Amino acid sequence: DTEVTQTPKHLVMGMTNKKSLKCEQHMGHRAMYWYKQKAKKPPELMFVYSYEKLSINESVPSRFSPECPNSSLLNLHLHALQPEDSALYLCASSQVAGSYEQYFGPGTRLTVT
Amino acid sequence: GENVEQHPSTLSVQEGDSAVIKCTYSDSASNYFPWYKQELGKRPQLIIDIRSNVGEKKDQRIAVTLNKTAKHFSLHITETQPEDSAVYFCAATPYTGANSKLTFGKGITLSVRP
């Protein structure tokens, strides 16, 4: 089973709201990723968790807060977002961080109003 | 850091023809090169990948070739079909343990004309 799931599929939030995106995989992968993707652009890396520890933070604003409660789950907590944060947020996982296949989830389409 | 260039940005082919998409990379330490296909409104899907110890890899109608000396790798699609129409992203990464990350090219939009 090479499936990564994400909820919700769509999210509309105001600039003062707090919301969370969720990602889950049951492939036994020990690396999980958050990407942001704007229309017609490649995925842009935000965070990498390796063995449940944050290993890469690509200078993402603090209004995005990742969390990895266990090896199967990855959350992205959102607070005080800006309209320019509207994008497709993709979760991915791989066996371990490095030169291994990354499998993407379907994404959450986020709109900030 | 790594820089991946992908040209052209769009490619249109007639159904049944072959399509070739080329990427160049800058970091000679890169050793893993995946290709992703993304249809409109869907997730990027890994379609094929190649490692630096291999020069070519095939999977049915798709193949990837790697030239480490020239630092470029290419995706070849034969007998193209309308369902091959999508955005294709190449990527590269050197292995650096937990700090490894993929660097993506800007993507190419492939259109297959019926």
Side-chain angles (χ1 to χ4, degrees):
Chain A
D1 180 15
T2 55
E3 187 173 1
V4 178
T5 59
Q6 289 186 245
T7 56
K9 289 185 179 178
H10 302 276
L11 179 62
V12 179
M13 60 185 291
M15 289 189 284
T16 59
N17 291 157
K18 286 185 181 181
K19 296 286 184 183
S20 297
L21 309 184
K22 296 187 183 300
C23 174
E24 190 167 6
Q25 57 87 14
H26 293 289
M27 295 178 278
H29 288 176
R30 302 311 298 271
M32 296 186 77
Y33 311 79
W34 280 115
Y35 287 89
K36 173 183 177 180
Q37 187 178 31
K38 292 278 201 178
K40 299 186 184 296
K41 299 289 186 184
E44 180 184 337
L45 184 66
M46 300 175 71
F47 302 103
V48 180
Y49 273 83
S50 176
Y51 291 91
E52 296 92 69
K53 286 186 169 41
L54 183 66
S55 61
I56 296 179
N57 177 340
E58 291 287 85
S59 302
V60 178
S62 59
R63 57 185 184 268
F64 295 91
S65 176
E67 178 195 20
C68 189
N70 60 54
S71 60
S72 300
L73 292 173
L74 186 66
N75 299 322
L76 186 63
H77 303 297
L78 314 173
H79 174 55
L81 294 193
Q82 303 296 310
E84 58 266 28
D85 297 322
S86 298
L88 180 67
Y89 287 84
L90 293 160
C91 173
S93 72
S94 64
Q95 188 175 343
V96 291
S99 306
Y100 291 87
E101 300 87 339
Q102 285 189 28
Y103 296 96
F104 284 86
T108 294
R109 177 73 59 187
L110 173 66
T111 303
V112 181
T113 61
Chain B
E2 176 63 278
N3 182 45
V4 177
E5 299 279 344
Q6 194 168 354
H7 297 285
S9 59
T10 61
L11 179 63
S12 180
V13 299
Q14 191 71 37
E15 181 178 359
D17 287 351
S18 295
V20 181
I21 303 169
K22 182 176 174 179
C23 287
T24 59
Y25 62 99
S26 62
D27 189 346
S28 56
S30 283
N31 58 2
Y32 176 62
F33 307 90
W35 284 91
Y36 286 86
K37 173 185 179 183
Q38 189 172 26
E39 296 174 67
L40 192 61
K42 299 210 174 162
R43 76 185 80 189
Q45 180 188 2
L46 179 67
I47 56 172
I48 198 167
D49 56 11
I50 194 166
R51 299 184 186 278
S52 58
N53 59 346
V54 175
E56 182 176 1
K57 184 176 178 181
K58 286 184 179 179
D59 183 3
Q60 299 182 345
R61 294 188 298 109
I62 60 173
V64 56
T65 57
L66 172 64
N67 183 326
K68 288 187 292 184
T69 304
K71 288 194 274 189
H72 67 71
F73 56 112
S74 300
L75 178 70
H76 304 254
I77 306 174
T78 59
E79 300 171 20
T80 53
Q81 300 165 6
E83 50 265 38
D84 294 327
S85 296
V87 179
Y88 290 82
F89 293 103
C90 61
T93 182
Y95 177 68
T96 53
N99 292 323
S100 302
K101 56 185 179 182
L102 286 177
T103 299
F104 286 88
K106 291 185 177 180
I108 177 172
T109 301
L110 174 65
S111 300
V112 180
R113 305 186 302 274

